[in-house]
Amino acid sequence: MSVEITWWGHATATVRDSGTAVLTDPLLTRRCAHLRRRRGTLPPPRARDVDLVLVSHLHRDHLHLRSLATLPAGVPLVLPRGTLDAVPALRRLAPRPHFCELTAGDRLTMGPITVRAVPAEHDGRRMPFGRHRAAALGFVVEGEARTYFAGDTDLFGGMAEEVGPVDSALLPVGGWGPGLGHGHLNAERAAEALARLRPRTAVPVHYGTYWPLGMSAVRPHEFHAPGDEFYRHAARLAPDVRVHRLTHGESVRLAVAG
């Protein structure tokens, strides 16, 4: 038995478990507002061939309407509770997905897998100063293995207890600009999260893909380095966890203990 994880760039990944393909925070276009994809080709059409989609929070690089509109008709779309009120344009998507809103602690079972919503420490507003919000979430996909997709989050008290035991973790280690504020993990804090969670394997995400237009020369280290830095910090803080630094479109197949 095995679980396959494919990283398409930014926070977009496919977790294939028990014959079910789960797509996270799909961002499938070359542009997103003021951001441009600077590394990796766009995900191929097969990236859209999924059974379930998870959206962690309302920010446009995670809940991206143009990308969602390219997914198959009727695909279930799992969202934080309150998203449909905060982003009414979702109801006008064509083809129309099947919406399911969750709160931390809720579970959704679909065939052989269960998705469990867990808390995240991140601003849940759609716009930087908007009043419409929905609490950001992470998700644990439970099938043959337990895979944690953190979305966007910072460290928070009780993180290990809320997430629970997991086999693999997809952790954000950077961002899309030259600075990270509250509510984000950088490479070192992501390694600290790894030390708390203690999965068997980890895949760094949310770095080295999108960058603001016209800012290529501004702190390029923050674009290129987070994956390698996470690997080094993880070796120091969580040496028993195997880290897979995937390139865009690369997959890793993880054996599951029977």
Side-chain angles (χ1 to χ4, degrees):
M1 296 187 295
S2 64
V3 170
E4 183 181 79
I5 296 172
T6 304
W7 183 48
W8 303 112
H10 202 55
T12 306
T14 298
V15 177
R16 194 173 296 274
D17 188 329
S18 305
T20 303
V22 180
L23 183 66
T24 65
D25 286 355
L27 184 53
L28 307 171
T29 58
R30 193 163 300 281
R31 291 280 299 272
C32 174
H34 65 299
L35 305 180
R36 176 175 62 88
R37 190 176 182 113
R38 287 189 56 204
R39 180 186 285 169
T41 59
L42 288 176
R46 62 184 174 86
R48 296 167 172 79
D49 185 15
V50 297
D51 302 295
L52 184 68
V53 177
L54 307 179
V55 174
S56 63
H57 63 287
L58 274 57
H59 292 168
R60 294 180 188 275
D61 57 319
H62 294 257
L63 196 167
H64 188 241
L65 294 174
R66 283 198 295 133
S67 294
L68 293 175
T70 69
L71 298 176
V75 64
L77 185 60
V78 180
L79 308 158
R81 190 168 304 281
T83 297
L84 291 172
D85 289 336
V87 190
L90 274 167
R91 300 183 188 274
R92 299 192 293 273
L93 281 179
R96 184 180 173 89
H98 173 72
F99 300 114
C100 180
E101 294 189 327
L102 301 183
T103 300
D106 289 347
R107 294 174 178 266
L108 170 69
T109 298
M110 186 178 133
I113 69 163
T114 296
V115 173
R116 179 165 53 89
V118 299
E121 180 63 33
H122 192 68
D123 189 339
R125 288 174 292 188
R126 177 63 167 170
M127 298 292 289
F129 305 104
R131 64 185 180 86
H132 297 292
R133 68 175 64 218
L137 297 175
F139 299 99
V140 178
V141 178
E142 302 176 345
E144 293 180 358
R146 294 161 297 188
T147 303
Y148 171 47
F149 169 65
D152 257 353
T153 191
D154 209 334
L155 294 168
F156 58 90
M159 187 179 203
E161 291 76 18
E162 293 284 1
V163 173
V166 291
D167 301 292
S168 299
L170 282 69
L171 294 178
V173 302
W176 50 254
L180 285 172
H182 175 74
H184 297 87
L185 294 172
N186 62 15
E188 185 171 13
R189 290 201 301 276
E192 292 176 12
L194 206 61
R196 298 184 187 187
L197 298 169
R198 294 292 179 180
R200 295 170 56 206
T201 62
V203 175
V205 301
H206 204 277
Y207 77 100
T209 310
Y210 290 88
W211 206 249
L213 287 166
M215 297 186 69
S216 298
V218 179
R219 302 190 71 186
H221 174 84
E222 298 296 335
F223 179 84
H224 294 286
D228 290 338
E229 290 185 348
F230 174 69
Y231 185 87
R232 291 196 296 270
H233 288 303
R236 175 174 55 89
L237 296 173
D240 294 336
V241 180
R242 184 173 183 183
V243 175
H244 299 274
R245 288 169 293 177
L246 302 180
T247 58
H248 295 84
E250 185 179 7
S251 301
V252 59
R253 190 176 294 273
L254 308 172
V256 177

